[in-house]
Amino acid sequence: MRPIRLRDAGDWSRIRLRDQEHLEPWEPTGPGPWRDRNSYWSWPAQWTALRSLARRGQCLPYTITVDGEFAGQITIGNVIRASLRSAWVGYWVSSPVVKGGVATAAVALVVDHAFTSAGLHRIEATVRPENTPSIKVLTKAGFRQEGLFKRYLDVAGDWRDHYCYAMTVEEAGPGLVARLVAAGRAEYL
Ligand code: ACO
């Protein structure tokens, strides 16, 4: 993983336009058609917004790469400090790399970072009950299901129920990456 870059525009747009069917059912409803929201020229505004939130310490926005190639995004968002020290995590990966453990590895890396360097105490993730791959990612990473939020988020054109998954730093033990390696699901290079 690495910080998002302005020059991700080309890869970001190409992959998201190609992967509309793979991504749209799980993403918040946006204004206008998918092709406009994911055009090359819509990335600079998104990059600027994410970067400005990151500079204020409210967000940790990353690009996921596989063998050096752009392969998705993972974001720690809505970072609240003080006595809550909480945030959410959200992610997507490009269709050619799915089912290879990429999202699970990205979640493990980013959550370990959030619980150590970023000093957070709790990370939560909300996911549609129909999104089996994402539920598997969270379960493999060690997240625990806390409940069901009814008609929680406007996704793909309607108010959708979402499960809430969460983890606190106490539950992360030696770290999510270390646990994946111990379970034989990942290895250090
Ligand atoms: N039915 C059952 N299991 C499935 C299916 C399916 N249709 N598709 C994938 N899986 C399994 C995989 O086999 C794998 O499990 P395994 O390791 O036990 O074999 C697991 O689901 C996926 O694990 P990863 O390989 O680590 O995840 P991947 O890199 O494929 O990414 C992701 C998963 C991010 C959900 C991807 O499919 C994607 O980008 N989907 C579209 C966007 C999206 O849904 N984002 C998540 C929104 S919710 C949130 O951000 C908290």
Coordinates of all heavy atoms in Angstrom, one line a residue, residues 55-126:
R55 N -4.6 15.5 5.7 CA -3.8 16.6 6.3 C -4.4 17.0 7.6 O -3.6 17.5 8.5 CB -3.6 17.7 5.4 CG -2.6 17.4 4.3 CD -2.3 18.6 3.4 NE -1.1 18.3 2.7 CZ -0.6 19.0 1.7 NH1 -1.3 20.1 1.3 NH2 0.5 18.7 1.0
R56 N -5.7 16.9 7.8 CA -6.3 17.3 9.0 C -6.4 16.1 10.0 O -7.0 16.2 11.0 CB -7.7 17.9 8.8 CG -7.7 19.2 8.0 CD -9.0 20.0 8.2 NE -10.2 19.3 7.7 CZ -10.6 19.4 6.5 NH1 -10.0 20.1 5.6 NH2 -11.7 18.7 6.1
G57 N -5.8 15.0 9.6 CA -5.8 13.8 10.4 C -7.1 13.1 10.5 O -7.4 12.3 11.4
Q58 N -8.0 13.3 9.5 CA -9.4 12.7 9.6 C -9.5 11.5 8.7 O -10.6 10.8 8.7 CB -10.4 13.8 9.2 CG -10.5 14.9 10.2 CD -11.3 16.1 9.7 OE1 -11.7 16.1 8.6 NE2 -11.5 17.0 10.6
C59 N -8.5 11.2 8.0 CA -8.6 10.1 7.0 C -7.2 9.6 6.6 O -6.2 10.4 6.7 CB -9.3 10.7 5.8 SG -9.2 9.9 4.3
L60 N -7.1 8.3 6.3 CA -5.8 7.7 5.9 C -6.1 7.0 4.5 O -6.6 5.9 4.5 CB -5.3 6.7 6.9 CG -5.0 7.2 8.3 CD1 -4.8 6.0 9.3 CD2 -3.8 8.1 8.3
P61 N -5.9 7.7 3.4 CA -6.3 7.1 2.1 C -5.1 6.5 1.4 O -4.1 7.1 1.1 CB -6.7 8.4 1.3 CG -6.0 9.5 1.9 CD -5.4 9.1 3.3
Y62 N -5.2 5.2 1.0 CA -4.2 4.5 0.4 C -4.6 3.9 -1.0 O -5.8 3.5 -1.2 CB -3.7 3.3 1.3 CG -3.1 3.8 2.6 CD1 -3.9 3.7 3.7 CD2 -1.9 4.3 2.6 CE1 -3.4 4.1 4.9 CE2 -1.3 4.8 3.8 CZ -2.1 4.7 5.0 OH -1.6 5.2 6.1
T63 N -3.6 3.7 -1.8 CA -3.7 2.9 -3.0 C -3.2 1.5 -2.7 O -2.2 1.4 -2.1 CB -2.9 3.6 -4.2 OG1 -3.5 4.8 -4.5 CG2 -2.8 2.7 -5.4
I64 N -3.9 0.5 -3.2 CA -3.4 -0.9 -3.1 C -2.7 -1.2 -4.4 O -3.2 -0.9 -5.5 CB -4.6 -1.9 -2.9 CG1 -5.4 -1.5 -1.6 CG2 -4.1 -3.3 -2.9 CD1 -6.7 -2.3 -1.5
T65 N -1.5 -1.7 -4.3 CA -0.8 -2.1 -5.5 C -0.4 -3.6 -5.4 O -0.2 -4.1 -4.3 CB 0.5 -1.3 -5.7 OG1 1.4 -1.6 -4.6 CG2 0.3 0.2 -5.8
V66 N -0.4 -4.2 -6.6 CA 0.0 -5.6 -6.7 C 1.1 -5.7 -7.7 O 0.9 -5.3 -8.8 CB -1.2 -6.5 -7.1 CG1 -0.7 -8.0 -7.3 CG2 -2.3 -6.5 -6.0
D67 N 2.3 -6.1 -7.3 CA 3.5 -6.1 -8.1 C 3.7 -4.7 -8.8 O 4.0 -4.6 -10.0 CB 3.4 -7.2 -9.3 CG 3.3 -8.6 -8.7 OD1 3.9 -8.8 -7.6 OD2 2.6 -9.4 -9.3
G68 N 3.5 -3.7 -7.9 CA 3.7 -2.3 -8.4 C 2.6 -1.7 -9.2 O 2.7 -0.5 -9.5
E69 N 1.6 -2.5 -9.6 CA 0.5 -2.0 -10.4 C -0.7 -1.6 -9.5 O -1.0 -2.2 -8.5 CB 0.0 -3.0 -11.4 CG 1.1 -3.5 -12.3 CD 1.5 -2.4 -13.3 OE1 0.7 -1.6 -13.7 OE2 2.8 -2.4 -13.6
F70 N -1.4 -0.5 -9.9 CA -2.6 0.0 -9.2 C -3.6 -1.2 -9.2 O -3.9 -1.7 -10.2 CB -3.2 1.2 -9.9 CG -4.3 1.9 -9.2 CD1 -4.1 3.1 -8.5 CD2 -5.6 1.3 -9.2 CE1 -5.2 3.7 -7.8 CE2 -6.6 1.9 -8.5 CZ -6.4 3.1 -7.9
A71 N -4.1 -1.5 -8.0 CA -5.1 -2.6 -7.9 C -6.2 -2.3 -7.0 O -7.0 -3.2 -6.7 CB -4.3 -3.9 -7.4
G72 N -6.4 -1.1 -6.5 CA -7.6 -0.8 -5.7 C -7.3 0.3 -4.7 O -6.2 1.0 -4.8
Q73 N -8.2 0.5 -3.8 CA -8.0 1.5 -2.7 C -8.5 1.0 -1.4 O -9.4 0.1 -1.3 CB -8.9 2.8 -3.0 CG -8.4 3.7 -4.1 CD -9.5 4.8 -4.3 OE1 -10.4 4.7 -5.2 NE2 -9.4 5.9 -3.6
I74 N -7.8 1.5 -0.4 CA -8.3 1.2 1.0 C -8.2 2.5 1.8 O -7.2 3.2 1.7 CB -7.6 0.0 1.7 CG1 -8.2 -0.3 3.0 CG2 -6.1 0.3 1.7 CD1 -7.9 -1.7 3.5
T75 N -9.2 2.8 2.5 CA -9.3 4.1 3.2 C -9.7 3.9 4.7 O -10.7 3.1 4.9 CB -10.3 5.0 2.5 OG1 -10.0 5.1 1.2 CG2 -10.3 6.4 3.1
I76 N -9.0 4.5 5.6 CA -9.5 4.6 7.0 C -10.1 6.0 7.0 O -9.4 7.0 6.8 CB -8.3 4.6 8.0 CG1 -7.6 3.2 7.9 CG2 -8.7 4.9 9.4 CD1 -8.2 2.1 8.7
G77 N -11.4 6.1 7.3 CA -12.1 7.4 7.3 C -12.8 7.7 8.6 O -12.9 6.9 9.5
N78 N -13.3 8.9 8.6 CA -14.0 9.5 9.8 C -13.2 9.2 11.1 O -13.7 8.7 12.1 CB -15.4 8.8 9.9 CG -16.3 9.6 10.8 OD1 -16.1 10.8 10.9 ND2 -17.3 9.0 11.4
V79 N -12.0 9.6 11.0 CA -11.1 9.4 12.2 C -11.5 10.4 13.3 O -11.5 11.6 13.1 CB -9.6 9.6 11.9 CG1 -8.8 9.5 13.1 CG2 -9.1 8.6 10.8
I80 N -11.9 9.8 14.4 CA -12.3 10.7 15.6 C -11.2 10.4 16.7 O -10.9 9.3 17.0 CB -13.7 10.2 16.2 CG1 -14.7 10.1 15.1 CG2 -14.1 11.2 17.3 CD1 -15.4 11.4 14.6
R81 N -10.7 11.5 17.2 CA -9.7 11.4 18.3 C -10.3 11.4 19.7 O -11.4 10.9 19.9 CB -8.6 12.5 18.1 CG -7.9 12.4 16.7 CD -6.8 11.4 16.8 NE -6.3 11.1 15.5 CZ -5.4 10.1 15.2 NH1 -5.0 9.3 16.2 NH2 -4.9 9.9 14.0
A82 N -9.6 12.1 20.6 CA -10.0 12.2 22.0 C -10.3 10.9 22.6 O -9.6 9.9 22.4 CB -11.2 13.2 22.1
S83 N -11.4 10.8 23.4 CA -11.6 9.5 24.1 C -12.3 8.4 23.2 O -12.6 7.4 23.7 CB -12.4 9.8 25.4 OG -13.6 10.5 25.1
L84 N -12.6 8.7 22.0 CA -13.2 7.7 21.1 C -12.1 7.0 20.3 O -12.1 5.7 20.2 CB -14.2 8.3 20.2 CG -15.2 7.4 19.5 CD1 -16.0 6.6 20.5 CD2 -16.2 8.1 18.6
R85 N -11.2 7.7 19.7 CA -10.1 7.2 18.8 C -10.6 6.0 17.9 O -10.1 4.9 18.0 CB -8.9 6.7 19.7 CG -8.3 8.0 20.4 CD -6.9 7.7 20.8 NE -6.7 6.9 22.0 CZ -7.0 7.3 23.3 NH1 -7.4 8.5 23.5 NH2 -6.8 6.5 24.3
S86 N -11.5 6.4 17.1 CA -12.2 5.4 16.3 C -12.3 5.8 14.8 O -12.1 7.0 14.5 CB -13.7 5.3 16.8 OG -14.4 4.4 16.0
A87 N -12.5 4.9 13.9 CA -12.6 5.2 12.5 C -13.3 4.0 11.8 O -13.5 3.0 12.4 CB -11.2 5.4 11.9
W88 N -13.6 4.2 10.5 CA -14.1 3.1 9.7 C -13.0 2.7 8.6 O -12.2 3.5 8.3 CB -15.4 3.3 9.0 CG -15.6 4.6 8.2 CD1 -16.4 5.7 8.5 CD2 -15.1 4.9 6.9 NE1 -16.4 6.6 7.5 CE2 -15.5 6.2 6.5 CE3 -14.2 4.2 6.0 CZ2 -15.2 6.8 5.3 CZ3 -13.9 4.8 4.8 CH2 -14.4 6.1 4.5
V89 N -13.1 1.5 8.1 CA -12.3 1.1 7.0 C -13.2 0.7 5.8 O -14.2 0.1 6.0 CB -11.3 -0.1 7.4 CG1 -12.1 -1.3 7.7 CG2 -10.3 -0.3 6.2
G90 N -12.8 1.1 4.6 CA -13.5 0.7 3.4 C -12.5 0.4 2.3 O -11.4 1.0 2.3
Y91 N -12.9 -0.4 1.3 CA -11.9 -0.9 0.3 C -12.6 -1.4 -0.9 O -13.8 -1.8 -0.9 CB -11.0 -2.0 0.9 CG -11.8 -3.0 1.7 CD1 -12.5 -4.0 1.1 CD2 -11.9 -2.9 3.1 CE1 -13.3 -4.9 1.8 CE2 -12.7 -3.8 3.8 CZ -13.4 -4.8 3.2 OH -14.2 -5.6 3.9
W92 N -11.8 -1.5 -2.0 CA -12.2 -2.2 -3.2 C -10.9 -2.6 -3.9 O -9.9 -2.0 -3.8 CB -13.1 -1.3 -4.1 CG -12.4 -0.1 -4.7 CD1 -12.3 1.1 -4.2 CD2 -11.6 -0.1 -6.0 NE1 -11.6 2.0 -5.0 CE2 -11.1 1.3 -6.1 CE3 -11.4 -1.0 -7.0 CZ2 -10.4 1.7 -7.2 CZ3 -10.6 -0.6 -8.1 CH2 -10.2 0.7 -8.2
V93 N -11.0 -3.7 -4.7 CA -9.9 -4.2 -5.5 C -10.4 -4.4 -6.9 O -11.5 -4.7 -7.1 CB -9.2 -5.4 -4.9 CG1 -8.7 -5.1 -3.5 CG2 -10.0 -6.6 -5.0
S94 N -9.4 -4.3 -7.9 CA -9.8 -4.5 -9.3 C -10.1 -6.0 -9.6 O -9.6 -6.9 -8.9 CB -8.7 -4.0 -10.2 OG -7.6 -4.9 -10.1
S95 N -11.0 -6.2 -10.5 CA -11.6 -7.5 -10.8 C -10.5 -8.6 -11.1 O -10.6 -9.7 -10.6 CB -12.7 -7.5 -11.9 OG -12.1 -7.0 -13.0
P96 N -9.4 -8.3 -11.8 CA -8.5 -9.3 -12.1 C -7.7 -9.9 -10.9 O -7.2 -11.0 -11.0 CB -7.4 -8.7 -13.1 CG -8.1 -7.4 -13.6 CD -9.1 -7.0 -12.5
V97 N -7.7 -9.2 -9.8 CA -7.0 -9.7 -8.7 C -7.9 -10.2 -7.6 O -7.4 -10.6 -6.5 CB -6.0 -8.6 -8.1 CG1 -5.0 -8.1 -9.2 CG2 -6.7 -7.5 -7.4
V98 N -9.2 -10.3 -7.8 CA -10.0 -10.8 -6.7 C -9.8 -12.3 -6.4 O -9.3 -13.0 -7.2 CB -11.6 -10.6 -6.9 CG1 -11.9 -9.1 -6.9 CG2 -12.0 -11.3 -8.2
K99 N -10.1 -12.7 -5.2 CA -9.9 -14.0 -4.7 C -8.5 -14.5 -4.5 O -8.2 -15.6 -4.4 CB -10.7 -15.1 -5.5 CG -12.2 -14.8 -5.7 CD -12.9 -16.0 -6.3 CE -14.3 -15.6 -6.7 NZ -15.0 -16.7 -7.3
G100 N -7.6 -13.5 -4.4 CA -6.2 -13.8 -4.2 C -5.7 -13.4 -2.9 O -4.5 -13.4 -2.6
G101 N -6.6 -12.9 -2.0 CA -6.2 -12.5 -0.7 C -5.7 -11.1 -0.6 O -5.2 -10.6 0.5
V102 N -5.9 -10.3 -1.7 CA -5.3 -8.9 -1.7 C -6.0 -8.0 -0.7 O -5.4 -7.3 0.1 CB -5.4 -8.3 -3.1 CG1 -5.1 -6.8 -3.1 CG2 -4.5 -9.1 -4.1
A103 N -7.4 -8.1 -0.7 CA -8.1 -7.2 0.2 C -7.8 -7.6 1.7 O -7.7 -6.7 2.6 CB -9.6 -7.3 -0.1
T104 N -7.8 -8.9 2.0 CA -7.5 -9.3 3.3 C -6.1 -8.8 3.8 O -6.0 -8.3 4.9 CB -7.5 -10.9 3.4 OG1 -8.8 -11.3 3.0 CG2 -7.3 -11.3 4.9
A105 N -5.1 -8.9 2.9 CA -3.8 -8.4 3.3 C -3.8 -6.9 3.5 O -3.2 -6.4 4.4 CB -2.8 -8.8 2.2
A106 N -4.6 -6.2 2.6 CA -4.6 -4.7 2.7 C -5.3 -4.3 4.0 O -4.8 -3.4 4.7 CB -5.4 -4.1 1.5
V107 N -6.4 -5.0 4.4 CA -7.1 -4.7 5.7 C -6.1 -4.9 6.8 O -6.0 -4.1 7.7 CB -8.4 -5.5 5.8 CG1 -8.9 -5.4 7.2 CG2 -9.4 -5.0 4.8
A108 N -5.4 -6.1 6.8 CA -4.5 -6.4 7.9 C -3.4 -5.3 8.0 O -3.1 -4.8 9.1 CB -3.9 -7.7 7.7
L109 N -2.8 -4.9 6.9 CA -1.8 -3.9 6.9 C -2.3 -2.6 7.4 O -1.7 -1.9 8.3 CB -1.2 -3.7 5.5 CG -0.3 -4.9 5.0 CD1 -0.1 -4.8 3.5 CD2 1.1 -4.8 5.7
V110 N -3.4 -2.1 6.9 CA -3.9 -0.8 7.3 C -4.4 -0.8 8.7 O -4.3 0.2 9.4 CB -5.0 -0.3 6.3 CG1 -6.3 -0.8 6.6 CG2 -5.0 1.2 6.1
V111 N -5.0 -1.8 9.2 CA -5.5 -1.9 10.6 C -4.4 -1.9 11.5 O -4.4 -1.2 12.6 CB -6.5 -3.0 10.8 CG1 -6.9 -3.2 12.3 CG2 -7.8 -2.8 10.0
D112 N -3.3 -2.7 11.2 CA -2.1 -2.7 12.1 C -1.6 -1.3 12.2 O -1.2 -0.8 13.3 CB -1.1 -3.6 11.5 CG -1.3 -5.1 11.9 OD1 -2.3 -5.4 12.6 OD2 -0.6 -6.0 11.4
H113 N -1.5 -0.6 11.1 CA -1.0 0.8 11.0 C -1.9 1.7 11.9 O -1.4 2.5 12.7 CB -0.9 1.3 9.6 CG -0.4 2.7 9.5 ND1 0.8 3.1 9.8 CD2 -1.1 3.8 9.1 CE1 1.0 4.4 9.6 NE2 -0.2 4.8 9.2
A114 N -3.2 1.5 11.7 CA -4.1 2.4 12.5 C -4.0 2.2 14.0 O -4.1 3.1 14.8 CB -5.5 2.1 12.0
F115 N -3.8 0.9 14.4 CA -3.7 0.6 15.8 C -2.3 1.0 16.4 O -2.2 1.0 17.6 CB -4.0 -0.9 16.1 CG -5.5 -1.2 16.0 CD1 -5.9 -2.5 15.7 CD2 -6.4 -0.3 16.3 CE1 -7.2 -2.8 15.7 CE2 -7.8 -0.6 16.3 CZ -8.2 -1.9 16.0
T116 N -1.3 1.1 15.6 CA 0.0 1.4 16.1 C 0.4 2.9 15.9 O 0.1 3.7 16.7 CB 1.1 0.4 15.5 OG1 1.0 0.5 14.1 CG2 0.8 -1.0 16.0
S117 N 0.9 3.2 14.7 CA 1.4 4.5 14.4 C 0.3 5.6 14.5 O 0.5 6.7 15.0 CB 2.0 4.6 13.0 OG 2.9 3.6 12.8
A118 N -0.9 5.2 14.1 CA -2.0 6.2 14.1 C -2.7 6.3 15.4 O -3.5 7.2 15.6 CB -3.0 5.9 13.0
G119 N -2.4 5.4 16.3 CA -2.9 5.5 17.7 C -4.4 5.3 17.9 O -5.0 5.8 18.9
L120 N -5.1 4.6 16.9 CA -6.5 4.4 17.1 C -6.8 3.2 18.0 O -6.0 2.3 18.2 CB -7.2 4.2 15.7 CG -7.1 5.4 14.8 CD1 -7.8 5.2 13.5 CD2 -7.7 6.7 15.4
H121 N -8.0 3.2 18.5 CA -8.4 2.1 19.5 C -9.5 1.2 18.8 O -9.5 0.0 19.2 CB -9.0 2.8 20.7 CG -9.6 1.8 21.7 ND1 -10.9 1.5 21.9 CD2 -8.9 0.9 22.5 CE1 -11.1 0.6 22.8 NE2 -9.9 0.1 23.1
R122 N -10.3 1.7 17.9 CA -11.4 0.9 17.4 C -11.5 1.2 15.9 O -11.5 2.3 15.5 CB -12.7 1.2 18.1 CG -13.9 0.5 17.5 CD -15.2 1.1 18.2 NE -16.3 1.0 17.4 CZ -17.1 -0.1 17.4 NH1 -17.0 -1.1 18.2 NH2 -18.2 -0.1 16.6
I123 N -11.7 0.1 15.1 CA -12.0 0.3 13.7 C -13.3 -0.5 13.4 O -13.4 -1.6 13.8 CB -10.9 -0.4 12.8 CG1 -9.5 0.2 13.1 CG2 -11.2 -0.1 11.3 CD1 -9.2 1.6 12.7
E124 N -14.2 0.2 12.7 CA -15.4 -0.5 12.3 C -15.5 -0.6 10.8 O -14.9 0.2 10.0 CB -16.6 0.0 13.0 CG -17.0 1.4 12.6 CD -18.3 1.8 13.3 OE1 -18.5 1.5 14.5 OE2 -19.2 2.4 12.7
A125 N -16.3 -1.5 10.3 CA -16.6 -1.7 8.9 C -18.0 -2.1 8.7 O -18.5 -2.9 9.4 CB -15.7 -2.8 8.3
T126 N -18.7 -1.4 7.8 CA -20.1 -1.8 7.5 C -20.2 -2.4 6.1 O -19.5 -1.9 5.2 CB -21.0 -0.5 7.6 OG1 -20.5 0.5 6.7 CG2 -21.1 0.0 9.0

